[in-house]
Amino acid sequence: MAQVLEFKLPDLGEGLTEAEIVRWLVEVGDVVAVDQPVVEVETAKAMVEVPCPYGGVVTARFGAEGTELPVGAPLLTVAVGETADGRPAGDGSGAGTAAADGARDGASGGRESAAEGSGNVLVGYGTSQAPARRRRVRPAAPAVNGRSRAPEPVRETRPAGTPQAAPGARTGRTAPADGPVPVISPLVRRLARENGLDLRKLAGSGPDGLILRADVEHALRAAGTQDRTETTAATAPAATTPATPAATGGPARSTAGAASVTRVPLKGIRGAVADKLSRSRTEIPDATCWVDADATELMRTRAAMNAAGGPKISVLALLARICTAALARFPELNASVDTGAREIVRYADVHLGFAAQTERGLVVPVVRDAHTRDAESLTAEFARLTEAARAGTLTPAELTGGTFTLNNYGVFGVDGSTPIINHPEAAMLGVGRIVPKPWVHEGELAVRQVVQLSLTFDHRVCDGGTAGGFLRYVADCVEQPAVLLRRV
């Protein structure tokens, strides 16, 4: 007899409590193998394909695309084992067919997973024996020509009130009614979802009907024009009617005033950033010190490195190399505070986070073992992680576990900042833009490449003398890169 196992949303990483369903990769009635990806979800940190630890036939899915589920909530159920007639679950085509072979493979995988567990490990599942919990299985579908049929797929319907594609959308090939909608990137899919645009009603102008960002933006502009016209006609008579606090759940405001206010939900990556920054400000007594430095020699050193051939070295990589050298001299700043135990935890290894701005918001990828890397290796890793951040493909492991953060806000054209520490770390080095400025060099006024450096630190882990010594050493290395040769 087939056994129905429930697969719940696993813990996908540190501190993640929920995830949003972006795209289902299987339908009800599909045969799945052990560790086959079944759904693509978006957490506050990354896009993740979630593999199923069971093999068999999908009997139910929980949640439509765009639904947020908490960790531990049911994702889908899978029938594993054999049906009453002795056939593997999902065997609906008889011997010799591909569907039957797939069903047998899936059922076999399901039996093995029930005994041994899945080999694809995510936090919270995949390593232990399958649960012994049983559920009643629906009666098999009527036989056709002596063969049983797999259950018909159950498809979610679009909730009432979801906006249709806007009039005036670009012409092209319309997405199929069933299966995933072809979209050029997850960022475009998210843009449509946040604005309530049904991608299945949108004609893509890309190859084979691929929906591009321009298609979504065009549809949203057309919808906005129509909505403004309808809203003006509908709200004009009630413009002078005040709203009561009981009706609005807040201070009284006029309908006309409310129409000009936009409320943006704090969820996803924006919500995670808000929670983390708020916690940092609440728990960490931070202080900031800063200094201007002459970066002319650093820029000349970089130019000489790049002129020698090989991969180009980035300024960020040189600053990271200086950072790791400074942390070796001042290990107090490569630390965190365990408030429960009232202890300072110092780390021997430097896992260097760096701030990266993306369309989804600010993320902090982590370069593992940065203290063991040279400038060339650091450049390559920065480039790889930055590209993954912009594509939204960073894994939770690449976004957690940092011990110190390097924040290059100079790319925004600003000189200084007092950043908020990336909790639970103890310090962050900020780097402003490098620009020509008047500077006294060797007793004479000259135009030099000047940068402002700032260090924000947790005053619990060290005093101002340590923080000042760290920042002064960084500035000395920026002004005279040969200082680093002492420890090479």
Side-chain angles (χ1 to χ4, degrees), residues 239-335:
T240 58
T241 303
T244 63
T248 61
R253 55 175 68 91
S254 68
T255 304
S260 63
V261 174
T262 301
R263 291 179 176 265
V264 180
L266 273 176
K267 66 176 186 177
I269 190 169
R270 187 73 260 163
V273 169
D275 293 340
K276 195 163 191 176
L277 296 181
S278 297
R279 183 177 182 185
S280 179
R281 273 290 191 231
T282 302
E283 294 185 8
I284 299 178
D286 58 345
T288 302
C289 54
W290 56 89
V291 66
D292 289 342
D294 181 1
T296 304
E297 293 303 321
L298 180 69
M299 301 306 289
R300 287 176 179 170
T301 299
R302 174 176 177 259
M305 288 180 175
N306 291 338
K312 301 297 183 182
I313 304 300
S314 67
V315 175
L316 187 62
L318 294 179
L319 292 170
R321 185 67 187 86
I322 292 172
C323 222
T324 58
L327 288 173
R329 292 175 63 96
F330 300 92
E332 298 91 335
L333 292 168
N334 193 46

Side-chain angles (χ1 to χ4, degrees), residues 441-452:
H441 177 65
E442 296 180 350
E444 295 183 355
L445 188 64
V447 176
R448 307 285 286 181
Q449 300 291 323
V450 179
V451 62
Q452 184 178 101

